[in-house]
Amino acid sequence: MGGSRLLACVMGLVCIVTVSAPGADLRPEDVTDAHINAAIDRAIEFLWTDQEKDGSWGEFKMAAERFRVGPNALVVYALLESGVPLSDERMQKAMRYLRSTPTTYTYGVGFRAQAWRAAWLQSRDEAYLRMLQRDVGTLIRSTRDGSYGYHSSGSPAKGNDNSNSHVGVIGVWAGLEVNLDLGTRVSSYFKKVLGHWLKEQCGDGGWGYPLLKEGQAGSSKPSMTAAGTAALFVCLDTLFCEEYARGDLPEMAGPLDKAMKLFSQQAPGIVGQAVPDGYNLYAVERVAMASGYKFFGGCDWYRTGAAAILNKQREDGAFVVQVMQDPKERAVRTAFGLLFLARGRQPVLFNKLERPGDWRNRPRDLANLTRWITNTFEKHVHWQSVSVDVGPEHWHDAPLLYIAGIEEPKFTDAQLANLRNFVHQGGTIVSVTERDGKAFAEGIRKVYAQLFPDYELMPAAPGHALYSAHWKLAEGKPEFFVLSNGARPLAIHCDADLPMPWQRYDFTGEAWAFQAAGNVFMYATDHGSLRPRANAHWPTGKPAKPQHTLSVMRVKHAGNWNPEPLALERFRLRMARDADTGVQVLDPIDLEKLTPNAADLVFLTGTGPLRLTAAETSALLAYVATGGTVLIDAAGGASRFAESVAETLNTTFPTQNLSVLPPDHEIYTREDYPLGAVRYRRTTQVRIGDVEEEGAGAMMTVESASPEKEAGEAPTSQPASAPAEVLGPKSLPRVQVMMLGKRPGIFFSREDLTVGLTGAECSTIDGYKPESAFRVVRNIALFLADSDEAPADPKAAPTSQPTTQPQTPRPRKAHPDRSRPPL
């Protein structure tokens, strides 16, 4: 059977007919993780309803050929990558079908290898490794010159097209991705593969479907250019780690650059098609993940492709947008779309900063490091590169911004502003000196001094979490330096050449370099709390006209009064978008200059002991006496600040007491924006006895997998008719209040709120998870916006109520129903 006909059957390259989506008309910038989650769930449900009794999705027929394994392995692979558990009875049936159905087709063996790899990553069941080893061995033995034909039976054969050749090599790569021991034959195998793809490269840098005849220039096509480019990246990571580690440029660098240049021109057309093609999108995703590119030709490949898929998803959940020769193809097409959405949204851990100078001395350092982290922590993480000139709004896919080099790093004022804003928006810079590069080591310290003049890069003290967040590192190997705002790391630096072992992927001989990176990962992300790629960290979009307005400000004092300069700005943006409330952030003022009615809500935070002057104390008293409200929190959960605040409040308000709000207080139980069960950071959970500290390092989460949604997902409002959630003691906030008359005049949180409002993660922060921090402050703000109470005399007799006594609801301002239907 002709190869092009098989490709039409399995990959979906047939005549195109638009199928209307269920009312979707999303632009790339409008795509949120909530949209993607919903589309994935509907596609999964469709595939389950399409499953047959034997666990398969049917037999695919074309002429005299019958494809039993390849298409079904593809569906299983897509479901596993989408998070479907192996324990699901339907998945068990599908796995039994794959195990019991023999095949010699390259598509079958290659995609089945991907399914075994995904199953092993989820379960760590050695049986899947054995099946993976079998299929990978078959593929290695089935090629004579690095190319493949339709059949891979374990005997050397010459291939006949580049599509089969692509599936063959990615099947072998599935084994290498999980560090499968393939013996000495792996090097000779990939040399053959490299030779094939270099020989088949067309004059424009791409590849075509049929193999070239001798002397033929050939005609490339985008899908095969993607296949060839991905194959070259596999060869690069397998054959040339040492060359790049030494600084040598391998001979394949030129052909790869030529291929990437062409593909960068073609990719926007692929992902931006009005009628998307699943196989082509899958090919883009593979190249993007391998190369670390976020943009191709200025196009954000994931958001653009996701919008195209979502806009054409059928009402039954299928991603079928073309006429099919066999109705069973709908499962294949849906699987390809599902792979693009599910794999593309997997968390990005590092952004490598593209900058002037030597920014990519070790081009595969992060590719190898994230591959190791994926295998070690049993969760997919990725990397990508971003330009220093595009701005931090495009950097927040990853919490860590990676800068490495030998030469002195130089930045313009605009580029320094981008770096500073990224950090103030909740990110962390990780910098590493390569090859004893003294110029870089000295230069990056100058950069940090320019970025954050109020803080200093200091050696991490013995016992710092960087030396123990997961692995117990030997003292001083490597030596870490930390620039902290007193609550979290703004930058982490190391002068040891960590990228050298990463580039060489020497995770056994130089395990310390990988373990050091693993500790950075666990420390800077609060034990692996990561956002999906499309879960926007910094709020964007134009909010609707607010139903309420509120003014807020931060007050200055002698301590570290503003560790997170953009925390209130992010709060303002989220309140406009997610709570229909306009928040005006006023310029900060000295506490002693605080006047009555200066703002509806005043924030006071810090990290060291709070010591108020007589003038500051007098201003604070006058402000709350006239109806003002103060929210005090210990940034990062700093105990010295928290203890001094409690002492200061007892002295300033001797007749008032701090008390915890009762569970039925309207701040917690409002119907339009219910607080829900709050989530605490790991450090706080250990302190309050909600979780065991032992084994804390192994915990890893993806934020949007939890019931709570981070910024960028569905609005947090619920219908006004929703019943209030009954909260247990460990799911309630621990915020204390000082009642002045019948109103709370001061809110005090010993647990961090300020860093939470930035959305930043760190394992040593003692406080609320970011989404819970926002909800707590949101509900306090809405409570004040609704308040119609007269100010009370702060010197009045204590009126704080026991935490178990119900409160009579206060009168509230009338306002329109702010509830919104879910997305």
Side-chain angles (χ1 to χ4, degrees):
M1 180 179 62
S4 59
R5 295 184 65 198
L6 175 63
L7 195 65
C9 174
V10 180
M11 307 304 184
L13 303 180
V14 289
C15 57
I16 298 173
V17 175
T18 300
V19 178
S20 298
D25 188 20
L26 290 171
R27 300 174 301 170
E29 59 268 29
D30 297 329
V31 172
T32 68
D33 200 59
H35 294 127
I36 293 170
N37 269 330
I40 288 174
D41 288 346
R42 293 175 59 228
I44 290 172
E45 187 58 33
F46 162 76
L47 289 173
W48 286 138
T49 59
D50 209 41
Q51 188 182 32
E52 299 192 351
K53 290 183 179 180
D54 63 358
S56 76
W57 282 263
E59 188 178 83
F60 293 68
K61 303 174 183 178
M62 176 61 75
E65 304 285 350
R66 294 185 177 183
F67 303 97
R68 295 185 177 92
V69 173
N72 287 291
L74 175 67
V75 174
V76 169
Y77 172 39
L79 289 170
L80 290 173
E81 289 284 333
S82 302
V84 174
L86 281 162
S87 58
D88 190 299
E89 183 178 348
R90 297 165 295 186
M91 179 59 73
Q92 288 293 311
K93 289 172 60 178
M95 297 301 278
R96 284 195 294 270
Y97 179 87
L98 289 186
R99 285 193 298 265
S100 62
T101 308
T103 186
T104 62
Y105 283 112
T106 301
Y107 288 116
V109 181
F111 281 122
R112 189 170 62 188
Q114 297 284 357
W116 299 148
R117 168 189 164 275
W120 181 80
L121 280 173
Q122 185 183 120
S123 67
R124 299 299 162 127
D125 186 336
E126 294 293 321
Y128 294 116
L129 273 189
R130 291 191 294 271
M131 290 183 282
L132 177 58
Q133 181 110 34
R134 180 196 63 198
D135 281 346
V136 169
T138 297
L139 289 168
I140 289 177
R141 294 191 303 272
S142 296
T143 180
R144 180 178 302 161
D145 60 356
S147 64
Y148 286 88
Y150 298 116
H151 292 278
S152 290
S153 58
S155 300
K158 190 178 187 306
N160 52 15
D161 69 76
N162 283 323
S163 179
N164 277 291
S165 297
H166 172 229
V167 174
V169 72
I170 65 171
V172 175
W173 180 240
L176 290 181
E177 282 187 299
V178 296
N179 305 322
L180 197 65
D181 184 8
L182 302 180
T184 57
R185 52 188 175 160
V186 66
S187 178
S188 61
Y189 168 79
F190 278 105
K191 287 178 181 177
K192 292 179 183 178
V193 170
L194 177 61
H196 164 76
W197 289 97
L198 291 180
K199 183 182 69 173
E200 293 294 321
Q201 192 169 24
C202 299
D204 62 358
W207 285 266
Y209 174 76
L211 300 186
L212 295 176
K213 296 179 181 178
E214 191 167 345
Q216 182 183 14
S219 177
S220 68
K221 63 187 311 179
S223 60
M224 290 298 97
T225 296
T229 305
L232 289 190
F233 273 111
V234 171
C235 295
L236 174 66
D237 287 344
T238 308
L239 299 173
F240 299 105
C241 288
E242 291 289 343
E243 283 84 345
Y244 272 113
R246 294 194 303 265
D248 298 335
L249 198 64
E251 61 179 350
M252 67 163 292
L256 179 57
D257 286 346
K258 191 174 182 180
M260 283 299 296
K261 182 178 180 179
L262 176 65
F263 185 73
S264 294
Q265 297 169 359
Q266 296 174 336
I270 296 174
V271 296
Q273 284 181 320
V275 184
D277 180 273
Y279 174 64
N280 287 349
L281 288 174
Y282 169 68
V284 169
E285 176 266 316
R286 290 199 65 86
V287 176
M289 294 296 198
S291 66
Y293 277 42
K294 176 181 173 70
F295 297 99
F296 290 109
C299 173
D300 184 327
W301 64 268
Y302 184 65
R303 285 188 175 277
T304 304
I309 291 176
L310 268 56
N311 286 337
K312 297 303 178 184
Q313 187 175 24
R314 296 192 338 181
E315 291 184 2
D316 61 1
F319 295 133
V320 181
V321 297
Q322 299 169 338
V323 168
M324 301 167 291
Q325 297 184 29
D326 184 335
K328 293 298 181 183
E329 289 181 42
R330 60 191 176 186
V332 168
R333 298 171 190 277
T334 301
F336 274 127
L338 197 54
L339 278 172
F340 179 89
L341 292 180
R343 281 178 53 82
R345 75 182 287 271
Q346 289 169 356
V348 182
L349 175 58
F350 288 104
N351 280 325
K352 177 180 279 192
L353 188 68
E354 301 173 19
R355 58 181 176 83
D358 61 335
W359 67 275
R360 53 176 179 179
N361 297 316
R362 311 279 167 66
R364 307 305 291 168
D365 50 1
L366 293 187
N368 290 334
L369 176 60
T370 51
R371 170 182 162 193
W372 176 83
I373 289 174
T374 293
N375 289 326
T376 302
F377 291 93
E378 304 180 18
K379 292 286 185 180
H380 290 287
V381 298
H382 299 280
W383 72 286
Q384 64 186 16
S385 60
V386 295
S387 169
V388 69
D389 294 314
V390 299
E393 64 271 18
H394 298 293
W395 300 356
H396 285 299
D397 290 332
L400 304 180
L401 184 68
Y402 174 74
I403 307 174
I406 304 169
E407 304 167 357
E408 179 184 359
K410 296 180 180 180
F411 299 101
T412 66
D413 289 344
Q415 292 167 345
L416 287 173
N418 285 342
L419 293 171
R420 185 182 299 109
N421 284 337
F422 170 75
V423 174
H424 285 332
Q425 289 175 2
T428 301
I429 298 174
V430 176
S431 55
V432 184
T433 302
E434 296 173 324
R435 298 186 195 168
D436 297 320
K438 293 182 180 179
F440 182 87
E442 294 172 0
I444 197 68
R445 285 168 168 82
K446 293 178 183 177
V447 169
Y448 290 143
Q450 289 179 279
L451 292 175
F452 312 109
D454 294 335
Y455 308 111
E456 184 178 356
L457 188 70
M458 299 290 291
H464 193 282
L466 284 168
Y467 298 113
S468 60
H470 190 81
W471 282 276
K472 301 295 182 183
L473 301 180
E475 191 68 30
K477 187 172 183 180
E479 183 179 15
F480 285 110
F481 298 83
V482 179
L483 190 149
S484 172
N485 63 0
R488 68 175 178 95
L490 307 182
I492 301 169
H493 178 72
C494 183
D495 286 318
D497 192 358
L498 300 175
M500 172 71 86
W502 302 344
Q503 172 67 47
R504 297 169 57 197
Y505 201 43
D506 188 6
F507 59 87
T508 53
E510 299 196 70
W512 66 274
F514 289 82
Q515 292 172 357
N519 278 8
V520 169
F521 162 50
M522 297 298 273
Y523 165 61
T525 65
D526 195 10
H527 301 284
S529 294
L530 296 170
R531 297 181 299 274
R533 184 189 297 266
N535 194 345
H537 167 73
W538 198 253
T540 58
K542 295 181 179 180
K545 185 177 180 180
Q547 303 295 328
H548 284 271
T549 57
L550 189 76
S551 62
V552 302
M553 71 160 52
R554 197 175 293 284
V555 289
K556 304 177 186 179
H557 55 86
N560 186 19
W561 63 271
N562 194 25
E564 297 289 356
L566 294 182
L568 292 186
E569 175 62 13
R570 186 171 184 266
F571 175 69
R572 179 188 72 82
L573 293 170
R574 288 211 60 188
M575 287 293 287
R577 189 193 65 188
D578 299 340
D580 287 335
T581 298
V583 173
Q584 182 184 13
V585 181
L586 304 176
D587 291 337
I589 62 172
D590 294 328
L591 177 54
E592 64 181 23
K593 297 179 180 178
L594 181 65
T595 60
N597 303 315
D600 296 312
L601 178 61
V602 164
F603 288 78
L604 192 159
T605 193
T607 57
L610 178 68
R611 300 288 183 256
L612 299 185
T613 66
E616 290 172 332
T617 301
S618 177
L620 183 64
L621 279 166
Y623 174 72
V624 297
T626 54
T629 304
V630 180
L631 174 56
I632 307 174
D633 84 304
S639 58
R640 292 188 302 165
F641 182 83
E643 291 164 3
S644 65
V645 166
E647 178 184 340
T648 298
L649 291 178
N650 287 335
T651 303
T652 306
F653 302 93
T655 60
Q656 270 71 36
N657 296 315
L658 285 169
S659 61
V660 179
L661 283 175
D664 61 349
H665 193 279
E666 61 186 287
I667 288 178
Y668 299 162
T669 60
R670 59 185 305 133
E671 294 179 338
D672 51 355
Y673 292 101
L675 180 69
V678 300
R679 294 177 61 218
Y680 293 98
R681 298 180 189 263
R682 184 76 175 186
T683 292
T684 315
Q685 293 177 51
V686 171
R687 177 171 59 81
I688 66 178
D690 197 30
V691 69
E692 295 290 333
E693 186 170 12
E694 183 70 25
M699 186 182 77
M700 180 172 173
T701 60
V702 176
E703 280 304 295
S704 70
S706 70
E708 285 194 341
K709 303 297 183 182
E710 184 54 276
E713 297 197 33
T716 53
S717 59
Q718 295 183 8
S721 59
E725 184 177 1
V726 179
L727 305 178
K730 290 184 179 180
S731 60
L732 277 169
R734 297 165 62 86
V735 176
Q736 295 177 290
V737 296
M738 183 169 284
M739 302 298 294
L740 304 177
K742 294 183 178 180
R743 72 176 187 90
I746 295 178
F747 293 88
F748 170 52
S749 176
R750 181 249 180 273
E751 290 77 26
D752 169 82
L753 291 169
T754 293
V755 179
L757 291 180
T758 70
E761 299 281 5
C762 178
S763 68
T764 55
I765 293 174
D766 188 351
Y768 299 91
K769 295 291 284 183
E771 178 62 22
S772 289
F774 168 73
R775 291 186 182 189
V776 168
V777 181
R778 176 199 66 189
N779 280 23
I780 290 173
L782 292 175
F783 172 79
L784 296 177
D786 292 341
S787 177
D788 196 25
E789 288 294 306
D793 182 359
K795 297 181 180 179
T799 57
S800 56
Q801 301 180 14
T803 59
T804 56
Q805 179 179 342
Q807 287 192 336
T808 303
R810 297 182 300 106
R812 298 170 60 186
K813 295 179 181 178
H815 60 83
D817 178 19
R818 290 195 298 272
S819 63
R820 286 185 263 178
L823 289 175

